[in-house]
Amino acid sequence: MSVQAKNTRERLIEAAKKVFSEKGFFESHISHIIEEAGTARGTFYIYFESKEEIFKEILKGIVEELKRRIKPVNVKEDPIDQIVRNIERILDFAVEERELSKIILFRSYDTSFSTIVDEFFKEVTEMVKTSLEKGILMGYLKPVNTEIIAQAMVGAVKEIMKNAIEKGNIDTYMVAKELVEFALGGLWDVKGRC
Amino acid sequence: MSVQAKNTRERLIEAAKKVFSEKGFFESHISHIIEEAGTARGTFYIYFESKEEIFKEILKGIVEELKRRIKPVNVKEDPIDQIVRNIERILDFAVEERELSKIILFRSYDTSFSTIVDEFFKEVTEMVKTSLEKGILMGYLKPVNTEIIAQAMVGAVKEIMKNAIEKGNIDTYMVAKELVEFALGGLWDVKGRC
Amino acid sequence: MSVQAKNTRERLIEAAKKVFSEKGFFESHISHIIEEAGTARGTFYIYFESKEEIFKEILKGIVEELKRRIKPVNVKEDPIDQIVRNIERILDFAVEERELSKIILFRSYDTSFSTIVDEFFKEVTEMVKTSLEKGILMGYLKPVNTEIIAQAMVGAVKEIMKNAIEKGNIDTYMVAKELVEFALGGLWDVKGRC
Amino acid sequence: MSVQAKNTRERLIEAAKKVFSEKGFFESHISHIIEEAGTARGTFYIYFESKEEIFKEILKGIVEELKRRIKPVNVKEDPIDQIVRNIERILDFAVEERELSKIILFRSYDTSFSTIVDEFFKEVTEMVKTSLEKGILMGYLKPVNTEIIAQAMVGAVKEIMKNAIEKGNIDTYMVAKELVEFALGGLWDVKGRC
DNA sequence: AATGAATGAGTGTTCATTCAT
DNA sequence: TATGAATGAACACTCATTCAT
């Protein structure tokens, strides 16, 4: 694959990301992508077998990047801060890569692709659940229904991501911190209660 | 409109709900709907102007039903219990009307329809935000960033709904209660802290 | 056939005339006709076998009426005046029955119907041709190419009819006279020529 | 646009001319045109946006060609001969381009297209009217009702055109001359009258 | 590698006609 | 007679994909 070719492929991917993020899978047409990329119709099919393929590649890229941003919590440092940082990095992705984030959070895609995204969120939910269980076992956390609470927490972050995409420039660290504090401390004002 | 006609229309709506919930808007075709309903092609167009129209009607129905299930919290009774009941009713919808719930939570639809659903969730978020502000003012709740927390809570319920749809028979009251307790009390085990 | 029935049939015919005159054959739909007539869909098919049939009936009615208005020229009275009167009556039809006239002069219809109208105009052309031949034989008229001139005269009247339909209230006798005088005397100003 | 493309487009136009001339606008279907042209369905839509578009293009072409054949009468040469030549060229069009002529003179088309053709004939009528007025002012022609006579003359030529289309090979110069002589001299045999 | 003209299966939609009530 | 719900063949148009150059 020559440099030129690599450029063409890259151009198509970038174009597709833009188009998919604006219109979703179904309302994006090959004509939109090649027009945006400035290539001919046939050129698209040199690099990609189908519309499905390029979409899947983009989708997998998004999921990989998101996974990369979630780092396992180690015991050497403050676990709470590590969780905040993980959420911060996820929100950063929403802000930095608005187009890509839109694709998985706002835009519609073929039922057959859902597994890719759903799988990812399920994995994350499982991770959170395991962490909660650990925290409970260690006596730090209340003995909650970990499955439910894990789902709730993932749903919460997703929704905040959506808002981050729309708002654009938010203080992701602050938001992540607020979220974690809320999850840990809850809403009750306990000042005078103990 | 005769009884027949009402039945036919109803049959088409029911068929469409099923088809849309399985395939989403784009991959659902008129042929699928009429086959499911057992009517002729032309019959569909007696009752609906287009595929868009019937989808919109179904979407609006879902949103209306969800709104109906969210009752304003009054001061005469325990507010916490009322919130739990609201969430319970929403989760009940996910369990009772799995197909309809799938449409708005899992399936893809035309960008032009998103507003209907998005508007609804924005309204709910706004409601939650206002409630939080009231609780803070009355000194019951901590002074949190109400916008962020409201979004987080709505996202949490959405995610739990998704799980309810998939799981099928869950104890919605218990789940709602768990969720509210988590939101109020947080995760920190405070037994020995005060 | 009861009186009621006759009324229904008549109502459908009148409605069809109006609709056909506005939209032509192809863009007129059964729904337009029954809406205008205030009958049910099925009622239409009690009285007419098809859209074609009712159109044909109307078309034939128009042609019959036009034929009725063209009276053979007799030798007892001034032949020129009789011709003027014939043309006047044709133009009167255009003015009195604008809708019907529109159908044959402006609106589009199925190729299979053209014969009905074309036949009529051909007959008229033949009549004019025969008259011209007679006039030439009797020495009143110049020895022209009767076929060409007959066609020209029929075409002239058709075009004047179209104008009569559009203008609405014109002095049809005057126009008919002007036309005949032109045909007989031509345009050359011969005042000083003989 | 490549040579191929131009050929394909041309082929479609030629096919459409043939089909439209045989069936009129409404009874011509895309399938007829592409079958005649020997292209695939989609190919049609590469070159034309819709059935309406290709029809309009053809219609406009006809009107343009007809306009091209009507040359303004100049004073340097015999005006009568120039008029004869104009009519001759119009009749030549009917003979040379029978298919195209059929489209505007015999075949049915959407009401929305009529303006294109009507406009043309109105323009021509206006031209004739102005010429008549000039002739009257210059004392060559009798003071007739120019509007009526102009219409009559246009209608006459239209009808002769129709005949030319059907007959096929006629002496267009002779017919044009006959027509003009008739218009100028009328039918009265004036041999013994002055 | 790159092009872009050509393809054709597949969509939504229309509308004259039928028929049970 | 009258109704109007139901029918389905037929139509214009779309768009992912192919392939000769």
Side-chain angles (χ1 to χ4, degrees), chain D residues 11-151:
Chain D
R11 251 184 17 251
L12 282 163
I13 283 273
E14 287 312 311
K17 281 177 181 172
K18 191 176 172 199
V19 172
F20 284 136
S21 86
E22 279 168 3
K23 298 176 194 287
F25 179 76
F26 297 104
E27 285 165 301
S28 295
H29 301 155
I30 302 297
S31 359
H32 301 144
I33 296 173
I34 58 172
E35 197 178 343
E36 182 70 35
T39 76
R41 233 178 169 62
T43 309
F44 178 89
Y45 289 93
I46 295 173
Y47 299 100
F48 304 97
E49 281 213 322
S50 62
K51 195 176 118 177
E52 269 79 6
E53 205 205 66
I54 192 172
F55 188 74
K56 204 183 244 174
E57 180 168 329
I58 291 171
L59 220 51
K60 283 185 174 169
I62 298 171
V63 167
E64 270 170 28
E65 178 55 28
L66 285 173
K67 278 187 183 167
R68 215 171 290 129
R69 286 169 185 251
I70 303 174
K71 295 192 195 305
V73 175
N74 65 62
V75 283
K76 292 177 207 156
E77 295 162 85
D78 177 15
I80 301 306
D81 187 57
Q82 291 176 67
I83 289 166
V84 170
R85 295 290 179 188
N86 273 337
I87 295 174
E88 185 196 1
R89 277 190 297 269
I90 292 293
L91 297 181
D92 280 343
F93 180 77
V95 173
E96 292 160 14
E97 303 279 7
R98 283 177 69 185
E99 288 184 358
L100 295 181
S101 306
K102 270 185 191 170
I103 293 174
I104 60 160
L105 287 173
F106 288 115
R107 301 297 169 235
S108 62
Y109 40 85
D110 192 293
T111 323
S112 66
F113 296 135
S114 358
T115 35
I116 299 176
V117 180
D118 292 352
E119 207 98 302
F120 166 69
F121 283 119
K122 235 163 227 169
E123 274 178 49
V124 176
T125 309
E126 205 54 41
M127 259 178 59
V128 174
K129 196 185 159 205
T130 312
S131 300
L132 289 174
E133 283 162 354
K134 225 181 273 179
I136 293 166
L137 242 108
M138 292 167 80
Y140 292 125
L141 305 180
K142 286 183 197 155
V144 294
N145 183 324
T146 52
E147 192 170 345
I148 293 168
I149 302 308
Q151 279 160 21

Side-chain angles (χ1 to χ4, degrees), chain A residues 22-24 26-27 80 106-112 114 118 121-122 125 132 139-149 151-160 162-164 166-167 174-175 178-179 181-191 193-194, chain B residues 22-24 26-27 80 106-112 114 118 121-122 125 132 139-149 151-160 162-164 166-167 174-175 178-179 181-191 193-194:
Chain A
E22 279 166 4
K23 299 176 195 285
F26 297 104
E27 286 164 301
I80 301 307
F106 286 115
R107 299 299 170 234
S108 62
Y109 41 85
D110 191 294
T111 323
S112 66
S114 356
D118 292 352
F121 283 118
K122 235 163 229 169
T125 310
L132 288 174
Y140 292 125
L141 305 181
K142 285 181 196 157
V144 295
N145 183 324
T146 53
E147 192 171 346
I148 293 169
I149 301 309
Q151 279 161 20
M153 289 170 78
V154 169
V157 174
K158 268 196 208 176
E159 199 73 16
I160 299 288
K162 285 187 180 181
N163 194 254
E166 283 179 339
K167 280 244 172 109
M174 183 274 285
V175 173
E178 181 85 25
L179 211 55
E181 272 167 13
F182 157 60
L184 291 172
L187 291 168
W188 281 133
D189 193 338
V190 287
K191 266 177 290 186
R193 283 176 197 244
C194 299
Chain B
E22 279 167 3
K23 298 175 194 287
F26 297 104
E27 285 165 302
I80 301 308
F106 287 115
R107 300 298 170 235
S108 62
Y109 41 85
D110 191 293
T111 323
S112 66
S114 358
D118 292 352
F121 283 118
K122 235 163 228 170
T125 309
L132 289 174
Y140 293 125
L141 306 179
K142 287 181 195 155
V144 294
N145 183 323
T146 53
E147 193 170 343
I148 293 169
I149 302 307
Q151 279 162 21
M153 289 170 77
V154 169
V157 174
K158 267 196 207 175
E159 199 73 17
I160 300 286
K162 285 187 180 181
N163 194 252
E166 283 179 338
K167 280 245 174 105
M174 181 275 284
V175 174
E178 182 84 24
L179 210 55
E181 273 168 11
F182 158 59
L184 290 172
L187 292 168
W188 280 133
D189 193 339
V190 288
K191 266 177 290 187
R193 283 178 197 242
C194 301

Side-chain angles (χ1 to χ4, degrees), chain C residues 109-177:
Chain C
Y109 40 86
D110 192 294
T111 323
S112 66
F113 296 135
S114 352
T115 34
I116 300 176
V117 180
D118 291 353
E119 208 96 302
F120 165 69
F121 283 118
K122 235 163 229 169
E123 275 178 49
V124 176
T125 310
E126 205 55 42
M127 260 178 59
V128 174
K129 196 186 160 203
T130 312
S131 299
L132 289 174
E133 283 163 354
K134 223 180 275 179
I136 294 165
L137 243 111
M138 292 167 80
Y140 292 125
L141 306 181
K142 286 181 196 155
V144 294
N145 182 324
T146 53
E147 192 169 343
I148 293 169
I149 302 307
Q151 279 161 20
M153 289 170 77
V154 169
V157 174
K158 267 196 207 174
E159 199 73 16
I160 300 286
M161 270 184 92
K162 284 187 181 181
N163 194 251
I165 292 166
E166 283 179 339
K167 279 246 174 105
N169 70 336
I170 58 162
D171 182 344
T172 52
Y173 177 72
M174 182 275 285
V175 172
K177 211 158 174 247

Side-chain angles (χ1 to χ4, degrees), chain A residues 8 14 27 42 47 57-58 79 86 90 112 123 141 149-150 161 163 167-168 174 190:
Chain A
T8 305
E14 287 312 310
E27 286 164 301
Y47 298 100
E57 181 168 328
I58 290 171
N86 273 337
I90 292 293
S112 66
E123 275 178 49
L141 305 181
I149 301 309
M161 270 184 91
N163 194 254
K167 280 244 172 109
M174 183 274 285
V190 287

